[in-house]
Amino acid sequence: MKRPKTLTASFVKTIRLPGRYGDGRGGHGLSLLVKPTRIQGRLSKTWAQRVRINGRYTLLGLGSYPAVTLAEARLRALRNRQAIEEGRHPRTRNTPTFQEATEKVIQLHTPKWKPGGLSEGHWRSTLGTYAHPRLGNRQVDQITSADIMACLTPIWHKKPETARRVKQRISAVMKWCIAQGFRDDNPADDRITAALGSNTQRPQHMKALHHSQVADAIKTIEQTDAHWATIAAFKFLTLTATRSGEVRQATWKEIDLGTATWTIPPEHTKTGQQHRVPLSGGALSVLANARPRSAGHGLVFPSPTGRVLSSATISKLCKENNVGCVPHGMRSSFRDWCAETGIPREVAEQALGHEIRNPVEKAYARTDLLEQRRQLMENWSQYLGF
């Protein structure tokens, strides 16, 4: 494709050859940078403006295409040029600090996070602890890779998973800044990993019991003086092989005692899809004991204050009583029992509410095998002595 003297909307849309393309003499230093991404066959297109401020040339990021069109990029370039002619730095009035940009990104993410989940708290906690002390009050266009390295270096090898998440979240904030035109590069990209070296570790599996020990673990928990709802929630998540969050947020509206089925809504599942759980005799007995204590409405297993049980409550119960596992480990115990007793893989995976990742297999999976799972969960209940 022939390079035009001035950029056109069609050229910007169709250009596939990496390089920097200027907007001609009347473009106020505007250019389009086209470069390949890590995804094979895909390109990124970002706007930049070369200007002279206080005698020094600098590049101002103006956002990325197609979020920022050619017309909008030209308008932003003109405004910057006018600010410079007036003796003002073009960014002093509207460039956010890192902490302000973080708030914007959190607001964008909030609608897709589960209500009552921990995502927002984790973002605020990790960035507040490891990034904001150094970056929080800095304007985002002034932050360098060296600044980010200074945040990550103390925890890169000591707390590798935390460091990975902090880097990932800083990167997300910087990508927002690029899209908004506050900078034209991401200082938290792979250069950080290359500079600090690999910090990958072997995955740490959650503590789980052999399935033959699960029944004794339940008996141990039953003999404690913990709040009734905490004990009942532990028993229920074990009998249903469900996740702690699903059980803690369960409401009586989700329970159909007539069909012995618990329908977990999408907003409470990890996959974001509705999950039906057949209730065994053991699970129904737990519900029968819980119903009068929780008044039969609202939360099935409320905390002493009537709210959702804390995510740490059941884990603390297991730890303090030396059960030898974490609540999530009961799902692993159940899965091993399924494998050793010849349960078909697709039935066991449906019971655990796992998402089918193979797109072809997913396209043909039109049933959740509820009735097959009903007998499975009854056998699991009887195996545990209920």
Side-chain angles (χ1 to χ4, degrees):
M1 179 179 291
K2 186 177 179 181
R3 183 182 300 217
K5 291 183 179 180
T6 58
L7 297 177
T8 64
S10 60
F11 176 84
V12 172
K13 180 179 180 180
T14 57
I15 183 63
R16 303 287 299 170
L17 184 65
R20 187 177 289 278
Y21 301 89
D23 195 27
R25 293 185 178 181
H28 304 295
L30 177 67
S31 65
L32 176 71
L33 176 63
V34 180
K35 62 181 182 180
T37 67
R38 288 183 293 177
I39 302 176
Q40 188 174 5
R42 292 192 181 182
L43 297 170
S44 71
K45 299 178 181 181
T46 55
W47 300 106
Q49 181 184 16
R50 188 171 185 264
V51 295
R52 189 171 182 175
I53 303 175
N54 298 326
R56 297 181 61 182
Y57 282 102
T58 185
L59 276 178
L60 301 176
L62 302 181
S64 59
Y65 179 86
V68 178
T69 64
L70 172 60
E72 176 62 25
R74 283 173 171 164
L75 180 59
R76 292 182 181 186
L78 175 60
R79 289 173 178 169
N80 287 343
R81 178 65 68 184
Q82 290 172 337
I84 294 171
E85 291 296 327
E86 294 171 3
R88 297 183 288 107
H89 193 290
R91 292 289 171 75
T92 53
R93 289 189 176 182
N94 59 1
T95 302
T97 64
F98 180 80
Q99 192 162 350
E100 291 170 341
T102 298
E103 288 299 319
K104 294 290 186 181
V105 174
I106 288 176
Q107 290 174 17
L108 289 174
H109 283 308
T110 298
K112 72 177 182 180
W113 287 333
K114 295 178 184 177
L118 302 176
S119 297
E120 181 177 345
H122 287 166
W123 266 70
R124 294 188 185 282
S125 175
T126 54
L127 292 182
T129 301
Y130 301 108
H132 289 169
R134 186 179 185 91
L135 308 178
N137 294 325
R138 298 277 298 278
Q139 288 188 314
V140 294
D141 59 340
Q142 301 299 312
I143 294 173
T144 67
S145 293
D147 295 322
I148 297 171
M149 281 184 62
C151 296
L152 296 175
T153 298
I155 60 172
W156 190 251
H157 294 290
K158 291 182 179 179
K159 301 178 179 180
E161 181 59 22
T162 299
R164 184 187 69 80
R165 292 180 184 275
V166 172
K167 176 181 176 295
Q168 184 182 59
R169 289 161 185 166
I170 293 175
S171 180
V173 174
M174 290 301 166
K175 287 177 181 177
W176 177 85
C177 294
I178 293 172
Q180 294 295 313
F182 296 123
R183 60 181 304 137
D184 61 356
D185 71 321
N186 181 2
D189 60 14
D190 289 342
R191 289 172 289 184
I192 299 294
T193 305
L196 294 176
S198 174
N199 67 343
T200 56
Q201 293 184 337
R202 292 182 179 180
Q204 298 293 316
H205 297 292
M206 294 187 179
K207 289 183 178 180
L209 299 172
H210 186 270
H211 54 77
S212 63
Q213 300 174 297
V214 173
D216 288 339
I218 293 176
K219 291 178 182 177
T220 298
I221 294 300
E222 287 178 327
Q223 294 169 3
T224 68
D225 58 357
H227 179 57
W228 73 265
T230 307
I231 298 173
F234 174 80
K235 292 166 63 177
F236 194 69
L237 71 83
T238 302
L239 286 160
T240 57
T242 49
R243 297 178 176 88
S244 170
E246 296 167 344
V247 171
R248 290 184 292 102
Q249 297 179 86
T251 65
W252 286 107
K253 289 182 179 179
E254 300 168 12
I255 307 292
D256 186 338
L257 294 175
T259 61
T261 304
W262 171 28
T263 303
I264 307 175
E267 59 268 23
H268 290 174
T269 66
K270 184 177 181 180
T271 62
Q273 299 176 353
Q274 177 182 285
H275 178 48
R276 294 195 297 171
V277 180
L279 299 173
S280 63
L284 290 171
S285 69
V286 174
L287 294 176
N289 290 327
R291 195 171 182 83
R293 296 188 175 191
S294 63
H297 58 80
L299 293 167
V300 178
F301 307 109
S303 71
T305 61
R307 299 180 179 181
V308 175
L309 286 169
S310 164
S311 60
T313 301
I314 307 177
S315 298
K316 183 179 179 182
L317 178 68
C318 293
K319 184 176 181 180
E320 290 182 345
N321 291 280
N322 299 315
V323 172
C325 70
V326 296
H328 197 80
M330 289 305 183
R331 287 166 56 81
S332 178
S333 301
F334 170 78
R335 187 63 181 87
D336 288 344
W337 174 79
C338 288
E340 292 184 15
T341 54
I343 302 300
R345 172 186 172 278
E346 61 272 19
V347 177
E349 291 298 292
Q350 284 281 7
L352 290 168
H354 282 163
E355 183 177 12
I356 301 174
R357 298 192 179 278
N358 184 298
V360 176
E361 183 181 355
K362 185 175 184 178
Y364 285 93
R366 303 297 176 88
T367 175
D368 64 0
L369 305 172
L370 181 66
E371 293 310 313
Q372 288 176 262
R373 291 190 288 116
R374 192 173 295 283
Q375 185 59 55
L376 167 64
M377 301 315 295
E378 191 61 47
N379 292 344
W380 172 242
S381 175
Q382 292 176 11
Y383 177 72
L384 298 181
F386 286 85

